[in-house]
Amino acid sequence: SPSTAAPIQITFDGCIPGFANNETQYCCPPKYNGTIVDFIPEKELNSSKPLRVRKALQCLSKKEQREYKAKLDKAYTILRNLPEDDPRSLHQHGILHCAYGTGALVQPGTNITIDIHFSWLFYPFHRWFVYFHERILQNILEDPEFSIHFWNWDNGATVRKPKSSHGGCYKVGHFLPQVYNDSSTAQYEAQRSYRAVMSDLPVDLSIIPEERADPPLRTADVALPRNVASMYVAMMLNGSTTRGFMGGEYRVGDTQVLDPLTRAGSLEVMGHASGHWWVGGPFGLVQTSALDPLFFAHHSNIDRLWNNWYNLPGGERKDYDDPDFLNAEYLFWDETATLRRVTVRDSLSIEALGYTYEKANDAYWINYV
Ligand code: C2O
């Protein structure tokens, strides 16, 4: 019961080097001798600064695409070449996600392993992960306005005409974004599946856990109607309540669940996980997914969909107000390789974190039925 429970808090001490799925990958963050610093929201630091805008990748102009692609290339060349134990390296991004997602970390003072997936900790964790990644890229690019633009995979061909009220850009976004799909750049990942790199196959948002190892090949005529249905189910039907969308409660003493369907929120499985499995390669596995730079464009879209979710019609759409949700904590590396302590509470407003999202046919799947 909530009166005896407590919020999940993170320490890297006691990290178990192996990982839960019986594989051998080293998933422990590097030793840190500094002081852990509490996070201060950007708005408190500088309230007059205009919000940065994360845009839909497919809606960038040709010129913007060229510039963005070159920036990603520069940034990921640097992140790939940093020493492996530098917390800002791409390697350590992979490790951090592995640590948080495979049971390498334990709840302080216990031997109960932690997984921030499949629960109410999913959206806030990934918001923070993209946020700190963005700060690291801003820093190495010396571009304080640099934003992680989103892979707008929920915006496919329409089964109903889009309503103008959804606003923004209407270009379909269901193909792997071109700026991540050039083999001559550092944001490219050579082991992505053939599905992802072929320019005429749209993402398949309907892949189920049983199909993850070898997803069926669905061409556009089959995949697109299924994608609309999947988004409708995730956002409108199963996602119309706090529990349904956010996932189940997760507090100190609760064990890791291995079956996503027991506690995960609707979009975490349909859409989010399906996207990982469709792209495949390192991106398709929890222990390596953040080694593919595409991770951050994918999660920028998840983050946007969470932010848009509150304003969809019907149901009850608000964050949990349970203190064990609000006071849950994570640790992240910032651009100076300082370890920051952040809370779920501080993640709940993207404006307080200094950014917003471009409108891009934000709910074309809203009138599916
Ligand atoms: Cu922590 Cu997309 O996964």
Side-chain angles (χ1 to χ4, degrees):
S1 76
S3 55
T4 56
I8 298 279
Q9 292 171 328
I10 300 295
T11 169
F12 294 161
D13 304 334
C15 179
I16 304 164
F19 92 100
N21 305 349
N22 264 335
E23 304 209 13
T24 46
Q25 162 144 339
Y26 188 81
C27 289
C28 292
K31 261 233 145 330
Y32 180 61
N33 298 318
T35 309
I36 299 177
V37 180
D38 285 325
F39 172 80
I40 302 164
E42 282 187 28
K43 230 177 56 194
E44 280 174 40
L45 296 174
N46 181 356
S47 59
S48 60
K49 206 178 155 217
L51 298 175
R52 281 176 293 103
V53 183
R54 292 187 186 166
K55 297 180 178 174
L57 283 164
Q58 82 278 14
C59 298
L60 299 177
S61 70
K62 284 264 172 315
K63 179 166 175 281
E64 286 173 320
Q65 293 212 20
R66 263 199 314 277
E67 289 168 0
Y68 194 68
K69 187 159 123 180
K71 281 192 185 187
L72 291 176
D73 184 32
K74 181 176 173 198
Y76 287 109
T77 300
I78 295 171
L79 291 202
R80 285 182 190 278
N81 288 316
L82 284 173
E84 283 208 344
D85 61 353
D86 187 313
R88 296 160 297 191
S89 65
L90 193 61
H91 180 76
Q92 288 299 334
H93 281 84
I95 296 267
L96 191 75
H97 190 258
C98 183
Y100 274 103
T102 60
L105 303 179
V106 291
Q107 296 175 20
T110 72
N111 55 11
I112 306 174
T113 56
I114 292 175
D115 182 355
I116 50 68
H117 299 99
F118 313 143
S119 76
W120 65 13
L121 296 187
F122 171 77
Y123 295 106
F125 171 84
H126 293 85
R127 173 165 290 170
W128 283 121
F129 199 15
V130 176
Y131 171 82
F132 281 106
H133 185 64
E134 195 172 64
R135 277 176 54 158
I136 290 168
L137 296 195
Q138 288 166 355
N139 184 263
I140 58 176
L141 290 168
E142 295 174 52
D143 176 0
E145 297 307 312
F146 181 83
S147 299
I148 308 280
H149 297 325
F150 55 95
W151 174 17
N152 189 195
W153 39 253
D154 60 290
N155 182 18
T158 50
V159 287
R160 302 283 169 96
K161 287 264 180 287
K163 285 194 175 168
S164 57
S165 61
H166 300 162
C169 148
Y170 286 100
K171 285 190 192 157
V172 295
H174 54 228
F175 299 114
L176 190 81
Q178 198 273 333
V179 295
Y180 285 89
N181 198 13
D182 177 341
S183 62
S184 72
T185 61
Q187 58 270 32
Y188 186 74
E189 163 52 61
Q191 292 178 66
R192 291 176 192 150
S193 103
Y194 68 94
R195 296 175 175 81
V197 298
M198 307 250 303
S199 58
D200 59 344
L201 285 180
V203 69
D204 180 353
L205 303 177
S206 64
I207 300 168
I208 57 172
E210 291 69 29
E211 299 169 330
R212 68 203 295 172
D214 186 20
L217 179 65
R218 294 194 179 101
T219 50
D221 52 327
V222 180
L224 292 175
R226 292 174 63 96
N227 286 352
V228 185
S230 300
M231 286 309 299
Y232 182 80
V233 171
M235 300 300 290
M236 305 305 294
L237 203 59
N238 294 351
S240 68
T241 62
T242 301
R243 167 65 180 83
F245 183 76
M246 303 285 297
E249 301 176 2
Y250 183 37
R251 312 166 199 277
V252 167
D254 290 339
T255 51
Q256 219 187 317
V257 292
L258 293 178
D259 175 6
L261 302 180
T262 55
R263 198 161 63 198
S266 53
L267 183 69
E268 184 179 354
V269 183
M270 296 181 104
H272 164 253
S274 304
H276 277 284
W277 300 329
W278 181 77
V279 172
F283 191 68
L285 300 166
V286 175
Q287 61 269 33
T288 48
S289 56
L291 293 174
D292 185 337
L294 184 64
F295 181 96
F296 300 95
H298 183 51
H299 273 282
S300 182
N301 198 40
I302 296 285
D303 191 62
R304 158 185 172 261
L305 289 165
W306 174 23
N307 190 58
N308 289 346
W309 169 75
Y310 306 108
N311 296 321
L312 294 169
E316 203 186 1
R317 299 166 183 274
K318 50 188 177 56
D319 293 317
Y320 284 99
D321 57 7
D322 188 309
D324 292 341
F325 173 69
L326 298 171
N327 298 326
E329 294 177 354
Y330 317 93
L331 299 177
F332 282 96
W333 306 102
D334 74 8
E335 68 282 5
T336 63
T338 301
L339 205 47
R340 297 272 181 169
R341 182 181 289 109
V342 300
T343 61
V344 164
R345 184 191 309 277
D346 279 343
S347 78
L348 298 179
S349 157
I350 61 171
E351 287 79 19
L353 295 178
Y355 68 92
T356 186
Y357 284 100
E358 174 185 42
K359 280 198 168 308
N361 198 8
D362 281 352
Y364 90 95
W365 28 258
I366 202 171
N367 291 323
Y368 177 66
V369 292

